[in-house]
């Protein structure tokens, strides 16, 4: 069958059509994608953009937006995302590669709209991170690129001519902070109705005349962001009404439901820890030296009670597995502690608890290699009750107890203040990071996302290893999510779907306390 156009001209290539579809690196994402996307690519793009937005969020929490420290931290975070660099335009890039990068940007944004439109809280988070990402990208563009973007998006803001700038030089200089006359002549200024830049007027950052504000190029982003926010907020409201019909497809439901809480780091499986074996006799020393506060709580509870309830055993047992405790050593460790209780002997332990330990190591049941819980898993699921020791201390404990512990450990006051501020702002992982820095007397910036990462970084600092170096030389690149295959009647359809890399253990029948 011949589909060649009758005009004799060849059909436009996919890359050329996409260049026309994505004519600029910056987008307002007004036109939804209409192409077919495999579930594998759908999952991959969703994870990539979540990585970017979470990095943007982390920088925004730790730094004042617009400050020099914020810009430097953003640049540093961007460099870490080597595998997710499609949102940063590169020079000397082939048109086909350029269109492919812009396509990823476009598709990944719309995929996350589906996941983040479901609640006010998710919408607020998504809008804020998209705005911050847009601001970062906008400020990297030159004058010609910005003008092109404004024109393509119907924003009629033209720069004032150089002659007019010269006539108004002194007024523009006086209306700007630490601006010299040469600076005024070198910058682009835009004439904008003052009602569109009330934020700049309120901050006395622009010159006003005749109902217009004269906005310097580096402040133009305020106007563009206002338009972007209005459009995105409206688009999310519309998307939320369409999602229920789409959720009938179970292949997408799990990804869209869990994308915000996906853990994107190393899974710390036992196979990757073969070179760093830990014995039962080492745990007491390591707990004081390198365990994160959540695992120190569990270890203390085990020592005091000679018992842990189900979720405590699960959280602590998988953590110990992740640091290199073998099955044989795990059985010895748990048995030595549990049999110190008056109502527990070796035979009773073997009967009630050894199966669960073997199950965690993949030796019983469905024989899956279960991985330790990440910080987000511990923070968001299975909140502890009375008599429980699991959970995240920064999330589930009284803040006063955290402060007392830091005082007892003689943490510097500024570190204590930061930890308490992060707890108050519900930034529990950042609170743990500041706690780590104070406990190890380091200023090294480490984004802690996993209790086993806390342990590894602690051991690295204690052993004098350089940044990024760990005891495990065979670690593979972290994936963060795994692909679950589902059957399809269409042999040409790649129907893979994502699930969390932290399987829910099927231990309901064994949840004995």
């Amino acid at each position: 069958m011949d589909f060649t156009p009758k005009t004799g001209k060849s059909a436009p290539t996919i890359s050329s059509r996409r260049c026309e579809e994505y004519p600029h690196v910056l987008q307002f994402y007004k036109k939804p994608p209409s192409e077919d996307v495999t579930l594998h690519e759908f999952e991959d793009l969703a994870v990539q953009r979540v990585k970017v937005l979470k990095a943007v969020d982390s920088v925004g929490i730790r730094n004042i937006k617009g400050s020099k420290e914020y810009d430097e931290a953003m640049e540093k975070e961007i460099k870490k995302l080597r595998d997710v660099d499609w949102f940063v335009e590169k020079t000397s890039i082939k048109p086909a590669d350029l269109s492919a990068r812009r396509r990823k940007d476009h598709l990944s944004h719309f995929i996350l709209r589906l996941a983040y439109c479901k609640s006010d809280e998710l919408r607020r988070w998504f809008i804020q991170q998209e705005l911050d990402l847009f601001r970062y990208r906008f400020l990297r563009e030159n004058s010609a690129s910005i003008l092109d973007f404004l024109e393509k998006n119907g924003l009629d803001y033209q720069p004032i001519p150089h002659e007019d700038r010269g006539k108004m030089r002194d007024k523009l200089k006086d209306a700007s902070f630490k601006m010299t006359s040469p600076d005024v002549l070198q910058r682009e200024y835009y004439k904008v109705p003052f009602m569109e830049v009330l934020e700049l007027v309120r901050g006395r950052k622009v010159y006003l005349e005749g109902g217009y504000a004269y906005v310097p190029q580096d402040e133009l982003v305020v106007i563009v962001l206002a338009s972007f926010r209005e459009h995105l907020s409206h688009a999310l409201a519309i998307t939320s009404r369409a999602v229920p019909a789409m959720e009938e497809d179970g292949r997408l439901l799990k990804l869209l439901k869990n994308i915000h809480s996906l853990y994107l780091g190393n899974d710390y499986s036992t196979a990757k820890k073969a070179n760093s074996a830990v014995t039962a006799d080492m745990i007491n020393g390591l707990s004081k030296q390198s365990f994160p506060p959540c695992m120190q709580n569990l270890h203390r509870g085990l020592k005091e009670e000679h018992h842990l309830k189900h979720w405590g055993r699960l959280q602590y047992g998988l953590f110990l597995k992740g640091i290199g405790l073998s099955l044989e050593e795990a059985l010895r460790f748990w048995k030595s502690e549990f049999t110190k209780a008056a109502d527990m002997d070796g035979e009773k332990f073997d009967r009630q608890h050894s199966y669960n330990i073997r199950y965690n190591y993949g030796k019983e049941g469905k024989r899956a290699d279960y991985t330790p819980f990440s910080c987000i898993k511990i923070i968001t699921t299975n909140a502890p009750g009375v008599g429980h020791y699991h959970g995240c201390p920064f999330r589930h404990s009284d803040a006063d107890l955290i402060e007392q512990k830091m005082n007892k450990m003689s943490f510097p006051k500024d570190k204590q203040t930061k930890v308490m501020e992060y707890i108050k702002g519900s930034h529990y992982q950042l609170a743990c990071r500041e706690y780590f820095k104070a406990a190890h007397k380091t200023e090294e910036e480490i984004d802690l996302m996993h209790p086993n990462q806390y342990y590894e970084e602690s051991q690295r600092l204690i052993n004098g290893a350089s940044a990024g170096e760990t005891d495990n030389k065979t670690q593979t690149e972290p994936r963060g999510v795994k692909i679950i295959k589902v059957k399809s009647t269409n042999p040409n359809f790649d129907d893979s779907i994502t699930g969390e890399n932290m399987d829910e253990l099927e231990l309901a029948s064994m949840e004995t306390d």
Side-chain angles (χ1 to χ4, degrees):
M1 217 177 258
D2 185 9
F3 290 97
T4 306
K6 300 301 181 180
T7 58
K9 297 180 180 179
S10 59
T13 63
I14 292 177
S15 62
S16 65
R17 288 200 305 269
R18 285 179 178 162
C19 282
E20 294 173 5
E21 194 171 358
Y22 314 118
H24 199 278
V25 60
L26 298 175
Q27 302 184 50
F28 267 179
Y29 310 102
K30 292 182 177 180
K31 184 180 179 182
S34 56
E35 63 180 284
D36 293 333
V37 180
T38 67
L39 285 175
H40 182 84
E41 185 180 23
F42 185 97
E43 173 251 348
D44 223 31
L45 290 173
V47 171
Q48 286 183 21
R49 198 168 192 101
V50 168
K51 280 185 179 181
V52 174
L53 297 188
K54 288 198 172 184
V56 171
D57 185 29
S58 178
V59 173
I61 292 170
R62 301 197 309 255
N63 303 275
I64 299 174
K65 294 176 183 178
S67 66
K68 182 181 178 181
E69 292 76 17
Y70 176 86
D71 293 338
E72 290 174 351
M74 185 68 84
E75 289 289 342
K76 186 177 179 181
E77 287 297 321
I78 296 309
K79 288 180 181 178
K80 290 180 183 178
L81 300 171
R82 295 188 184 91
D83 58 328
V84 188
D85 63 350
W86 38 258
F87 60 94
V88 179
E89 199 83 322
K90 292 183 176 181
T91 56
S92 304
I93 188 170
K94 296 178 181 178
D97 293 335
L98 183 66
S99 63
R101 293 165 70 89
R102 293 180 180 179
R103 172 182 171 272
K104 286 183 177 181
D105 177 30
H106 189 253
L107 290 178
S108 64
H109 171 86
F110 276 95
I111 290 170
L112 288 200
R113 276 193 194 179
L114 299 174
Y116 282 89
C117 69
K118 298 181 180 181
S119 70
D120 290 340
E121 183 180 358
L122 288 175
R123 281 196 289 268
R124 281 194 298 269
W125 187 87
F126 180 65
I127 290 172
Q128 187 58 60
Q129 307 326 314
E130 285 286 343
L131 287 171
D132 289 345
L133 177 62
F134 185 91
R135 180 191 292 108
Y136 169 79
R137 299 171 70 184
F138 185 89
L139 294 177
R140 289 170 59 91
E141 297 301 307
N142 57 36
S143 299
S145 176
I146 288 174
L147 276 175
D148 186 36
F149 170 78
L150 295 176
E151 181 181 344
K152 285 180 169 58
N153 287 275
L155 300 174
D156 189 20
Y157 304 131
Q158 293 296 324
I160 62 175
H162 183 78
E163 301 77 28
D164 292 347
R165 245 182 322 179
K167 296 175 183 177
M168 304 174 65
R169 178 176 54 189
D170 292 337
K171 295 177 180 178
L172 295 175
K173 176 177 70 69
D174 293 340
S176 303
F177 181 67
K178 292 184 178 179
M179 185 69 62
T180 64
S181 295
D183 290 336
V184 170
L185 296 177
Q186 291 174 6
R187 299 173 88 185
E188 293 286 0
Y189 280 81
Y190 296 79
K191 186 177 179 181
V192 179
F194 86 95
M195 288 295 290
E196 296 186 24
V197 287
L198 292 179
E199 182 180 337
L200 297 177
V201 174
R202 189 185 311 116
R204 299 184 179 183
K205 295 182 177 180
V206 291
Y207 171 66
L208 296 176
E209 183 177 289
Y212 287 92
Y214 291 81
V215 182
Q217 180 173 294
D218 52 357
E219 297 289 356
L220 187 67
V221 67
V222 174
I223 313 171
V224 179
L225 284 176
S227 297
F228 187 27
R229 178 190 291 275
E230 181 181 2
H231 166 70
L232 184 53
S233 180
H234 178 67
L236 285 172
I238 294 175
T239 305
S240 67
R241 295 197 291 268
V243 164
M246 185 196 63
E247 285 183 343
E248 294 175 3
D249 188 340
R251 296 170 299 177
L252 298 179
L253 181 59
K254 189 168 184 178
L255 172 65
L256 296 178
K257 182 180 178 181
N258 298 321
I259 188 69
H260 189 61
S261 58
L262 277 180
Y263 168 63
L264 304 173
N266 196 328
D267 64 8
Y268 296 96
S269 65
T270 305
K272 296 177 184 177
K273 299 297 299 179
N275 297 333
S276 56
V278 172
T279 66
D281 298 330
M282 297 166 60
I283 292 176
N284 274 336
L286 289 173
S287 68
K288 299 172 185 176
Q289 189 182 53
S290 295
F291 281 15
C294 56
M295 300 306 164
Q296 287 181 348
N297 272 2
L298 285 162
H299 187 76
R300 177 176 56 82
L302 180 60
K303 285 293 184 180
E304 291 176 358
E305 306 289 341
H306 306 302
H307 182 79
L308 287 175
K309 294 186 183 294
H310 170 72
W311 287 109
R313 297 195 302 271
L314 194 55
Q315 181 177 320
Y316 194 35
L318 291 176
F319 168 79
L320 294 176
K321 175 188 175 186
I323 69 171
L325 191 70
S326 67
L327 173 58
E328 293 74 19
E329 289 295 313
L331 287 167
R332 185 162 76 89
F333 170 74
W334 288 102
K335 190 171 186 176
S336 68
E337 289 299 333
F338 273 44
T339 53
K340 290 176 183 177
D343 60 345
M344 181 73 66
D345 57 25
E347 184 179 344
K348 186 176 181 180
F349 174 86
D350 290 339
R351 186 170 64 253
Q352 291 188 356
H353 298 291
S354 61
Y355 180 90
N356 284 11
I357 297 170
R358 291 173 56 80
Y359 190 102
N360 291 354
Y361 279 78
K363 302 301 181 183
E364 301 287 355
K366 63 180 183 181
R367 300 182 182 277
D369 184 19
Y370 295 109
T371 56
F373 291 173
S374 67
C375 291
I376 193 69
K377 176 82 169 180
I378 293 170
I379 289 169
T380 59
T381 60
N382 304 308
V386 178
H388 294 134
Y389 291 89
H390 68 277
C392 171
F394 302 104
R395 168 67 178 86
H396 300 116
S397 296
D398 191 321
D400 290 339
L401 295 177
I402 300 290
E403 192 166 22
Q404 289 174 19
K405 183 175 182 179
M406 292 190 292
N407 278 324
K408 187 176 180 180
M409 297 177 69
S410 301
F411 281 8
K413 286 296 180 183
D414 61 326
K415 295 294 183 187
Q416 293 189 40
T417 301
K418 276 191 175 182
V419 170
M420 300 309 293
E421 285 177 352
Y422 283 139
I423 292 175
K424 186 177 180 180
S426 301
H427 305 303
Y428 308 114
Q429 289 170 256
L430 294 178
C432 189
R433 185 198 67 166
E434 291 302 322
Y435 185 98
F436 176 93
K437 289 166 67 176
H440 294 81
K441 296 180 173 60
T442 180
E443 289 302 320
E444 187 175 325
E445 296 291 345
I446 301 170
D447 288 328
L448 294 174
M449 298 184 292
H450 202 291
N452 291 77
Q453 181 192 5
Y454 185 110
Y455 170 82
E456 284 197 349
E457 294 293 348
S458 173
Q459 286 289 290
R460 175 181 64 79
L461 290 173
I462 291 169
N463 296 325
S466 59
E469 185 180 346
T470 64
D471 293 335
N472 181 13
K473 306 299 183 183
T474 60
Q475 285 187 3
T476 60
E477 189 68 16
R479 180 70 178 90
V481 293
K482 67 180 182 181
I483 303 301
I484 301 172
K485 292 295 181 179
V486 293
K487 293 182 179 180
S488 170
T489 55
N490 184 350
N492 298 317
F493 185 61
D494 181 2
D495 47 0
S496 50
I497 189 62
T498 177
E500 287 189 81
N501 197 19
M502 302 166 293
D503 298 69
E504 289 291 348
L505 304 189
E506 297 175 357
L507 300 176
S509 61
M510 295 176 285
E511 291 186 18
T512 57
D513 289 335

